[in-house]
Amino acid sequence: MSSTSAPTAISGTPAPVTPRSDLRAALADTSSVGLALFPLGLALGVLVVHSQLAWWWAPVFAGVVYAGSLEFLLIGLVTAATPLAQVALAAFLVNFRHVFYALSFPLHRIRGRWGKGYATFALTDEAYALTTGPAAQRWSGRRILWLQVLCQGYWVAGATVGAAGAALVPVQLEGLDFALTALFVVLAVDGYRADRDIPVPVLALLCALIARVLLPGQMLPVALGLFLSALLVRRALTEKETADA
């Protein structure tokens, strides 16, 4: 075999992981996510144009801001010429949940300063849900980066297509807003099937209900804070039981 030939995998030995195989794996990982991100991007692009903004603001919002629900809010803030300080405060409140995401996101697997920087920038709800499950514990840093690049690609592509064809689409797109909710229901079900830990979804439901009753206007950050606290207490109790056994 010449020195330029590709190495063959020995029988019983897994084939080496290559950048191309990581890309193929990431494409499979994000196939269901893309079905939700692309139509939501379409809705964003249509809303941008119908808000009397130039069409190119849609890919700019999707590519530079890339913050999901904040981008929809940002359209109204931009058209109303909202002061920058208020925009910054709104962005902080809407995306405060990402502080909790950073606690368990596998950033340590990403190599290089630029890679870590992009992974931090592109840490969305979907990327977090996909990369922190039991099946993702052995994923390489390249695979995680490809996953994030593809998720943003679906979003930017949808926003661009939506803005380009906004004149043919009505401003009210009924049903598209449920696509993201349906996506997270599917991700939650898949997560439970991978690790049938009943107390976790029960705790999540209880925290959501408590937050809904106590502070309905800030339900998401309150629920996340309660859920994090509950998980830490459960972990401490579990470690204590293991030490006493």
Side-chain angles (χ1 to χ4, degrees):
M1 182 177 65
S2 65
S3 58
T4 57
S5 300
T8 58
I10 301 175
S11 177
T13 303
V17 178
T18 64
R20 184 170 296 180
S21 63
D22 281 325
L23 174 58
R24 287 196 298 266
L27 282 168
D29 298 332
T30 59
S31 58
S32 60
V33 173
L35 294 177
L37 290 178
F38 187 81
L40 282 172
L42 287 174
L44 175 67
V46 171
L47 185 59
V48 165
V49 174
H50 282 282
S51 297
Q52 307 305 314
L53 294 174
W55 72 269
W56 49 265
W57 276 109
V60 168
F61 283 158
V64 178
V65 179
Y66 190 43
S69 57
L70 177 64
E71 294 174 48
F72 288 92
L73 177 62
L74 190 60
I75 295 172
L77 296 176
V78 169
T79 54
T82 305
L84 187 59
Q86 294 184 24
V87 174
L89 178 61
F92 174 78
L93 294 176
V94 172
N95 290 326
F96 183 72
R97 65 191 184 279
H98 288 218
V99 174
F100 300 99
Y101 293 170
L103 298 176
S104 53
F105 180 72
L107 187 63
H108 60 281
R109 295 188 219 157
I110 310 296
R111 296 182 179 180
R113 183 178 301 177
W114 288 102
K116 290 181 182 293
Y118 177 76
T120 302
F121 162 75
L123 177 53
T124 59
D125 300 328
E126 297 80 15
Y128 177 80
L130 290 172
T131 58
T132 55
Q137 298 305 309
R138 296 183 180 180
W139 289 2
S140 66
R142 282 196 306 261
R143 182 170 175 175
I144 294 172
L145 279 177
W146 273 123
L147 181 146
Q148 292 183 282
V149 169
L150 290 171
C151 284
Q152 187 174 16
Y154 301 141
W155 183 252
V156 173
T160 305
V161 172
L168 305 177
V169 181
V171 66
Q172 296 294 335
L173 299 177
E174 299 293 340
L176 282 181
D177 53 344
F178 185 72
L180 196 58
T181 302
L183 168 63
F184 282 110
V185 170
V186 172
L187 291 176
V189 172
D190 286 344
Y192 174 74
R193 287 177 175 174
D195 185 9
R196 295 180 178 272
D197 190 359
I198 295 179
V200 172
V202 172
L203 284 174
L205 178 60
L206 289 175
C207 292
L209 292 175
I210 293 172
R212 177 67 177 176
V213 173
L214 295 180
L215 289 171
Q218 298 295 329
M219 178 182 172
L220 185 58
V222 173
L224 285 173
L226 290 173
F227 187 50
L228 175 62
S229 301
L231 290 178
L232 291 175
V233 171
R234 185 189 179 211
R235 180 181 178 87
L237 293 175
T238 303
E239 290 179 348
K240 183 179 179 180
E241 292 177 355
T242 303
D244 294 340

